[in-house]
Short mmCIF file of all heavy atoms in Angstrom, two decimals:
data_model
loop_
_atom_site.label_atom_id
_atom_site.label_comp_id
_atom_site.label_asym_id
_atom_site.label_seq_id
_atom_site.Cartn_x
_atom_site.Cartn_y
_atom_site.Cartn_z
N ILE C 1 96.01 90.53 82.82
CA ILE C 1 95.68 89.79 84.08
C ILE C 1 96.33 90.54 85.23
O ILE C 1 95.69 90.66 86.28
CB ILE C 1 96.29 88.36 84.03
CG1 ILE C 1 95.41 87.54 82.96
CG2 ILE C 1 96.20 87.69 85.37
CD1 ILE C 1 95.95 86.20 82.65
N THR C 2 97.51 91.02 85.12
CA THR C 2 98.15 91.79 86.18
C THR C 2 97.30 93.02 86.57
O THR C 2 97.05 93.28 87.78
CB THR C 2 99.54 92.26 85.83
OG1 THR C 2 100.32 91.08 85.53
CG2 THR C 2 100.17 93.02 86.87
N LYS C 3 96.75 93.78 85.60
CA LYS C 3 95.99 94.90 85.89
C LYS C 3 94.73 94.54 86.62
O LYS C 3 94.33 95.23 87.60
CB LYS C 3 95.65 95.64 84.50
CG LYS C 3 96.74 96.43 83.90
CD LYS C 3 96.33 97.08 82.61
CE LYS C 3 97.43 97.87 82.01
NZ LYS C 3 97.03 98.58 80.83
N HIS C 4 94.08 93.43 86.21
CA HIS C 4 92.96 92.94 86.86
C HIS C 4 93.13 92.57 88.30
O HIS C 4 92.44 92.88 89.17
CB HIS C 4 92.24 91.82 86.09
CG HIS C 4 91.50 92.25 84.80
ND1 HIS C 4 92.11 92.49 83.64
CD2 HIS C 4 90.14 92.51 84.65
CE1 HIS C 4 91.13 92.85 82.76
NE2 HIS C 4 90.01 92.84 83.40
N LEU C 5 94.25 91.88 88.44
CA LEU C 5 94.66 91.41 89.83
C LEU C 5 94.88 92.62 90.73
O LEU C 5 94.53 92.54 91.90
CB LEU C 5 95.87 90.57 89.77
CG LEU C 5 95.60 89.07 89.19
CD1 LEU C 5 96.88 88.35 89.01
CD2 LEU C 5 94.67 88.33 90.18
N HIS C 6 95.50 93.66 90.22
CA HIS C 6 95.71 94.80 91.09
C HIS C 6 94.39 95.54 91.48
O HIS C 6 94.31 95.87 92.68
CB HIS C 6 96.68 95.81 90.36
CG HIS C 6 98.11 95.36 90.40
ND1 HIS C 6 98.84 95.32 91.54
CD2 HIS C 6 98.94 94.92 89.35
CE1 HIS C 6 100.07 94.89 91.22
NE2 HIS C 6 100.11 94.59 89.94
N VAL C 7 93.48 95.55 90.59
CA VAL C 7 92.18 96.14 90.92
C VAL C 7 91.48 95.22 91.99
O VAL C 7 90.96 95.76 92.89
CB VAL C 7 91.30 96.28 89.67
CG1 VAL C 7 89.84 96.57 90.03
CG2 VAL C 7 91.85 97.26 88.76
N MET C 8 91.56 93.96 91.72
CA MET C 8 90.98 93.00 92.72
C MET C 8 91.67 93.03 94.04
O MET C 8 90.97 92.89 95.07
CB MET C 8 90.97 91.57 92.19
CG MET C 8 90.07 91.43 90.86
SD MET C 8 90.29 89.87 90.06
CE MET C 8 89.74 88.70 91.32
N GLU C 9 92.98 93.29 94.02
CA GLU C 9 93.71 93.45 95.27
C GLU C 9 93.21 94.64 96.08
O GLU C 9 93.05 94.64 97.28
CB GLU C 9 95.22 93.46 95.04
CG GLU C 9 96.03 93.46 96.30
CD GLU C 9 97.50 93.39 95.97
OE1 GLU C 9 97.99 93.96 95.04
OE2 GLU C 9 98.15 92.61 96.75
N LYS C 10 93.05 95.79 95.34
CA LYS C 10 92.51 96.96 96.02
C LYS C 10 91.19 96.75 96.64
O LYS C 10 90.81 97.33 97.65
CB LYS C 10 92.51 98.17 95.09
CG LYS C 10 93.85 98.66 94.74
CD LYS C 10 93.80 99.83 93.78
CE LYS C 10 95.16 100.33 93.33
NZ LYS C 10 95.18 101.42 92.34
N ALA C 11 90.34 95.94 96.01
CA ALA C 11 89.02 95.60 96.47
C ALA C 11 89.03 94.48 97.60
O ALA C 11 88.06 94.20 98.22
CB ALA C 11 88.17 95.10 95.37
N GLY C 12 90.25 93.95 97.83
CA GLY C 12 90.36 92.99 98.95
C GLY C 12 89.92 91.58 98.52
O GLY C 12 89.71 90.70 99.32
N LEU C 13 89.85 91.34 97.21
CA LEU C 13 89.42 90.05 96.70
C LEU C 13 90.53 88.98 96.56
O LEU C 13 90.28 87.80 96.59
CB LEU C 13 88.60 90.16 95.44
CG LEU C 13 87.32 91.07 95.54
CD1 LEU C 13 86.70 91.17 94.18
CD2 LEU C 13 86.33 90.41 96.50
N VAL C 14 91.74 89.55 96.30
CA VAL C 14 92.88 88.72 96.17
C VAL C 14 94.05 89.31 97.00
O VAL C 14 94.05 90.47 97.35
CB VAL C 14 93.37 88.60 94.75
CG1 VAL C 14 92.28 87.84 93.90
CG2 VAL C 14 93.78 89.86 94.08
N LYS C 15 95.06 88.49 97.30
CA LYS C 15 96.20 88.88 98.00
C LYS C 15 97.47 88.39 97.21
O LYS C 15 97.37 87.36 96.52
CB LYS C 15 96.29 88.26 99.44
CG LYS C 15 95.15 88.57 100.31
CD LYS C 15 95.23 87.84 101.60
CE LYS C 15 94.01 88.08 102.39
NZ LYS C 15 93.92 87.18 103.64
N SER C 16 98.49 89.20 97.30
CA SER C 16 99.70 88.70 96.65
C SER C 16 100.80 88.70 97.68
O SER C 16 100.91 89.35 98.60
CB SER C 16 100.01 89.72 95.57
OG SER C 16 100.48 90.99 96.01
N VAL C 17 101.87 87.78 97.35
CA VAL C 17 102.98 87.53 98.11
C VAL C 17 104.17 87.38 97.27
O VAL C 17 104.08 86.75 96.22
CB VAL C 17 102.72 86.37 99.07
CG1 VAL C 17 103.90 85.53 99.29
CG2 VAL C 17 102.13 86.69 100.33
N ARG C 18 105.24 87.98 97.61
CA ARG C 18 106.47 87.77 96.81
C ARG C 18 107.16 86.54 97.25
O ARG C 18 107.23 86.20 98.34
CB ARG C 18 107.48 88.90 97.09
CG ARG C 18 107.32 90.10 96.26
CD ARG C 18 108.57 90.34 95.56
NE ARG C 18 108.48 91.50 94.64
CZ ARG C 18 108.28 91.38 93.31
NH1 ARG C 18 108.19 90.21 92.70
NH2 ARG C 18 108.12 92.47 92.59
N HIS C 19 107.48 85.77 96.24
CA HIS C 19 108.18 84.46 96.42
C HIS C 19 109.42 84.48 95.46
O HIS C 19 109.25 84.06 94.29
CB HIS C 19 107.22 83.23 96.15
CG HIS C 19 107.75 81.91 96.48
ND1 HIS C 19 109.11 81.59 96.21
CD2 HIS C 19 107.21 80.92 97.11
CE1 HIS C 19 109.25 80.37 96.63
NE2 HIS C 19 108.16 79.92 97.22
N GLY C 20 110.52 84.91 95.94
CA GLY C 20 111.69 84.98 95.07
C GLY C 20 111.40 86.20 94.08
O GLY C 20 111.08 87.23 94.46
N ARG C 21 111.50 85.85 92.84
CA ARG C 21 111.36 86.87 91.82
C ARG C 21 109.88 86.92 91.36
O ARG C 21 109.50 87.81 90.55
CB ARG C 21 112.18 86.58 90.60
CG ARG C 21 113.64 86.75 90.92
CD ARG C 21 114.61 86.38 89.77
NE ARG C 21 114.05 86.76 88.46
CZ ARG C 21 114.64 86.48 87.32
NH1 ARG C 21 115.71 85.74 87.33
NH2 ARG C 21 114.12 86.91 86.18
N GLU C 22 109.09 86.02 91.83
CA GLU C 22 107.68 85.92 91.37
C GLU C 22 106.74 86.50 92.44
O GLU C 22 107.10 86.63 93.58
CB GLU C 22 107.24 84.47 91.25
CG GLU C 22 107.61 83.78 89.94
CD GLU C 22 107.05 82.48 89.82
OE1 GLU C 22 107.02 81.64 90.75
OE2 GLU C 22 106.51 82.16 88.72
N ARG C 23 105.58 86.95 92.04
CA ARG C 23 104.53 87.31 92.89
C ARG C 23 103.45 86.27 92.79
O ARG C 23 103.00 86.00 91.64
CB ARG C 23 104.01 88.73 92.52
CG ARG C 23 102.97 89.20 93.45
CD ARG C 23 102.72 90.71 93.30
NE ARG C 23 103.75 91.58 93.65
CZ ARG C 23 104.04 91.97 94.85
NH1 ARG C 23 103.21 91.63 95.82
NH2 ARG C 23 105.07 92.76 95.10
N LEU C 24 103.12 85.71 93.90
CA LEU C 24 102.06 84.72 93.84
C LEU C 24 100.72 85.30 94.33
O LEU C 24 100.71 86.09 95.28
CB LEU C 24 102.44 83.49 94.75
CG LEU C 24 103.76 82.80 94.27
CD1 LEU C 24 104.06 81.68 95.35
CD2 LEU C 24 103.63 82.30 92.94
N TRP C 25 99.64 84.91 93.76
CA TRP C 25 98.34 85.50 93.94
C TRP C 25 97.47 84.44 94.51
O TRP C 25 97.42 83.28 94.08
CB TRP C 25 97.70 86.02 92.70
CG TRP C 25 98.49 87.18 92.18
CD1 TRP C 25 99.63 87.14 91.32
CD2 TRP C 25 98.31 88.60 92.47
NE1 TRP C 25 100.08 88.42 91.11
CE2 TRP C 25 99.29 89.33 91.70
CE3 TRP C 25 97.40 89.28 93.17
CZ2 TRP C 25 99.42 90.68 91.85
CZ3 TRP C 25 97.46 90.64 93.29
CH2 TRP C 25 98.52 91.34 92.60
N GLN C 26 96.61 84.84 95.50
CA GLN C 26 95.63 83.93 96.11
C GLN C 26 94.32 84.67 96.39
O GLN C 26 94.31 85.87 96.78
CB GLN C 26 96.16 83.51 97.44
CG GLN C 26 95.25 82.49 98.17
CD GLN C 26 95.89 82.02 99.50
OE1 GLN C 26 96.96 82.47 99.90
NE2 GLN C 26 95.23 81.12 100.14
N MET C 27 93.25 84.02 96.01
CA MET C 27 91.93 84.55 96.18
C MET C 27 91.54 84.53 97.69
O MET C 27 91.83 83.52 98.42
CB MET C 27 90.93 83.74 95.31
CG MET C 27 89.47 84.20 95.48
SD MET C 27 88.28 83.31 94.48
CE MET C 27 88.37 81.69 95.25
N ASP C 28 90.93 85.56 98.17
CA ASP C 28 90.40 85.62 99.59
C ASP C 28 89.01 85.16 99.38
O ASP C 28 88.10 85.94 99.11
CB ASP C 28 90.48 87.00 100.14
CG ASP C 28 90.05 87.09 101.57
OD1 ASP C 28 89.29 86.22 101.95
OD2 ASP C 28 90.49 88.07 102.23
N GLN C 29 88.80 83.89 99.68
CA GLN C 29 87.38 83.23 99.50
C GLN C 29 86.31 83.89 100.30
O GLN C 29 85.20 84.09 99.86
CB GLN C 29 87.55 81.76 99.72
CG GLN C 29 88.22 81.04 98.70
CD GLN C 29 88.19 79.51 98.84
OE1 GLN C 29 87.53 79.01 99.73
NE2 GLN C 29 88.95 78.86 98.00
N HIS C 30 86.65 84.27 101.47
CA HIS C 30 85.66 84.96 102.37
C HIS C 30 85.17 86.24 101.73
O HIS C 30 84.00 86.51 101.68
CB HIS C 30 86.19 85.24 103.75
CG HIS C 30 85.37 85.97 104.63
ND1 HIS C 30 84.25 85.43 105.17
CD2 HIS C 30 85.34 87.22 105.15
CE1 HIS C 30 83.57 86.29 106.00
NE2 HIS C 30 84.17 87.36 105.94
N ARG C 31 86.08 87.09 101.26
CA ARG C 31 85.74 88.38 100.67
C ARG C 31 84.97 88.13 99.32
O ARG C 31 84.03 88.89 99.09
CB ARG C 31 87.02 89.13 100.34
CG ARG C 31 87.58 89.69 101.57
CD ARG C 31 86.96 90.83 102.20
NE ARG C 31 87.01 91.96 101.22
CZ ARG C 31 86.70 93.14 101.53
NH1 ARG C 31 86.16 93.42 102.72
NH2 ARG C 31 86.69 94.06 100.62
N VAL C 32 85.35 87.10 98.55
CA VAL C 32 84.58 86.81 97.35
C VAL C 32 83.22 86.32 97.65
O VAL C 32 82.20 86.75 97.03
CB VAL C 32 85.35 85.73 96.47
CG1 VAL C 32 84.51 85.21 95.35
CG2 VAL C 32 86.66 86.28 95.94
N HIS C 33 83.06 85.56 98.71
CA HIS C 33 81.65 85.10 99.05
C HIS C 33 80.82 86.31 99.62
O HIS C 33 79.62 86.36 99.31
CB HIS C 33 81.79 84.01 100.12
CG HIS C 33 82.26 82.71 99.60
ND1 HIS C 33 81.65 81.98 98.59
CD2 HIS C 33 83.28 81.97 99.95
CE1 HIS C 33 82.30 80.90 98.29
NE2 HIS C 33 83.37 80.85 99.15
N GLN C 34 81.50 87.23 100.30
CA GLN C 34 80.75 88.51 100.70
C GLN C 34 80.31 89.23 99.49
O GLN C 34 79.10 89.69 99.45
CB GLN C 34 81.70 89.39 101.51
CG GLN C 34 81.84 88.91 102.93
CD GLN C 34 82.81 89.95 103.69
OE1 GLN C 34 83.81 90.43 103.08
NE2 GLN C 34 82.40 90.14 104.95
N ALA C 35 81.15 89.37 98.52
CA ALA C 35 80.78 90.05 97.30
C ALA C 35 79.61 89.34 96.52
O ALA C 35 78.68 90.00 96.08
CB ALA C 35 81.96 90.20 96.31
N GLN C 36 79.70 88.01 96.47
CA GLN C 36 78.62 87.31 95.84
C GLN C 36 77.30 87.44 96.54
O GLN C 36 76.23 87.67 95.84
CB GLN C 36 78.89 85.83 95.86
CG GLN C 36 80.01 85.41 94.77
CD GLN C 36 80.31 83.90 94.94
OE1 GLN C 36 80.36 83.32 96.07
NE2 GLN C 36 80.60 83.29 93.78
N ARG C 37 77.30 87.48 97.86
CA ARG C 37 76.05 87.67 98.67
C ARG C 37 75.50 89.07 98.39
O ARG C 37 74.30 89.25 98.17
CB ARG C 37 76.32 87.49 100.15
CG ARG C 37 76.32 85.97 100.51
CD ARG C 37 76.30 85.79 102.06
NE ARG C 37 77.38 86.54 102.71
CZ ARG C 37 78.47 86.00 103.03
NH1 ARG C 37 78.85 84.79 102.56
NH2 ARG C 37 79.47 86.68 103.66
N TYR C 38 76.40 90.08 98.31
CA TYR C 38 75.98 91.48 98.04
C TYR C 38 75.34 91.63 96.68
O TYR C 38 74.30 92.16 96.52
CB TYR C 38 77.17 92.42 98.30
CG TYR C 38 76.83 93.78 97.96
CD1 TYR C 38 76.07 94.51 98.75
CD2 TYR C 38 77.26 94.37 96.76
CE1 TYR C 38 75.74 95.85 98.45
CE2 TYR C 38 76.96 95.68 96.50
CZ TYR C 38 76.21 96.44 97.31
OH TYR C 38 75.92 97.75 97.02
N LEU C 39 76.01 90.95 95.71
CA LEU C 39 75.53 91.07 94.35
C LEU C 39 74.19 90.38 94.13
O LEU C 39 73.28 90.83 93.43
CB LEU C 39 76.57 90.54 93.33
CG LEU C 39 77.83 91.39 93.18
CD1 LEU C 39 78.86 90.68 92.38
CD2 LEU C 39 77.45 92.71 92.63
N LYS C 40 74.02 89.20 94.86
CA LYS C 40 72.75 88.49 94.85
C LYS C 40 71.71 89.42 95.39
O LYS C 40 70.54 89.46 94.87
CB LYS C 40 72.79 87.21 95.60
CG LYS C 40 73.34 86.12 94.82
CD LYS C 40 73.29 84.75 95.66
CE LYS C 40 73.90 83.62 94.86
NZ LYS C 40 73.83 82.38 95.64
N GLN C 41 72.00 90.08 96.52
CA GLN C 41 70.96 90.96 97.14
C GLN C 41 70.56 92.09 96.18
O GLN C 41 69.41 92.36 96.05
CB GLN C 41 71.59 91.57 98.49
CG GLN C 41 70.66 92.46 99.16
CD GLN C 41 71.34 93.11 100.35
OE1 GLN C 41 72.47 92.81 100.66
NE2 GLN C 41 70.68 93.95 101.13
N ILE C 42 71.58 92.77 95.61
CA ILE C 42 71.31 93.84 94.67
C ILE C 42 70.49 93.32 93.47
O ILE C 42 69.53 93.95 93.03
CB ILE C 42 72.61 94.44 94.15
CG1 ILE C 42 73.33 95.13 95.31
CG2 ILE C 42 72.32 95.50 93.01
CD1 ILE C 42 72.60 96.23 95.94
N SER C 43 70.84 92.16 92.94
CA SER C 43 70.08 91.58 91.85
C SER C 43 68.69 91.26 92.14
O SER C 43 67.81 91.50 91.35
CB SER C 43 70.79 90.21 91.42
OG SER C 43 70.09 89.53 90.41
N SER C 44 68.46 90.81 93.36
CA SER C 44 67.11 90.50 93.83
C SER C 44 66.30 91.85 93.91
O SER C 44 65.14 91.83 93.62
CB SER C 44 67.20 89.83 95.20
OG SER C 44 66.21 89.02 95.43
N GLN C 45 66.92 92.86 94.47
CA GLN C 45 66.26 94.13 94.55
C GLN C 45 65.92 94.62 93.22
O GLN C 45 64.74 95.10 92.94
CB GLN C 45 67.11 95.17 95.26
CG GLN C 45 67.30 94.89 96.74
CD GLN C 45 68.31 95.82 97.39
OE1 GLN C 45 68.96 96.57 96.71
NE2 GLN C 45 68.48 95.67 98.70
N TRP C 46 66.74 94.52 92.20
CA TRP C 46 66.40 94.98 90.87
C TRP C 46 65.35 94.15 90.25
O TRP C 46 64.46 94.68 89.52
CB TRP C 46 67.65 94.97 90.01
CG TRP C 46 68.50 96.19 90.07
CD1 TRP C 46 69.64 96.41 90.75
CD2 TRP C 46 68.10 97.47 89.43
NE1 TRP C 46 70.04 97.71 90.65
CE2 TRP C 46 69.16 98.33 89.78
CE3 TRP C 46 67.05 97.86 88.69
CZ2 TRP C 46 69.11 99.69 89.40
CZ3 TRP C 46 67.10 99.22 88.27
CH2 TRP C 46 68.07 100.09 88.60
#
């Protein structure tokens, strides 16, 4: 899960914040919706 989150963070889909000894992760809904729209467009073209 950590590896996947780091890839998603590089893509701008999630953000992380240190909270004490933990790192908390949050999805960037705007970026995820942008990605969904793009994938729908590509799917439609195919």
Side-chain angles (χ1 to χ4, degrees):
I1 290 173
T2 300
K3 286 181 182 181
H4 282 84
L5 287 170
H6 284 291
V7 170
M8 292 171 64
E9 186 174 41
K10 287 181 184 177
L13 300 174
V14 296
K15 299 174 186 173
S16 67
V17 143
R18 271 237 181 260
H19 188 316
R21 292 176 40 185
E22 282 188 313
R23 184 169 290 277
L24 301 178
W25 294 87
Q26 181 177 4
M27 179 177 66
D28 184 336
Q29 291 185 4
H30 176 70
R31 294 282 296 187
V32 170
H33 290 302
Q34 282 181 321
Q36 285 177 323
R37 283 192 302 271
Y38 176 74
L39 291 172
K40 277 185 182 180
Q41 178 184 0
I42 296 298
S43 175
S44 210
Q45 289 172 355
W46 272 104

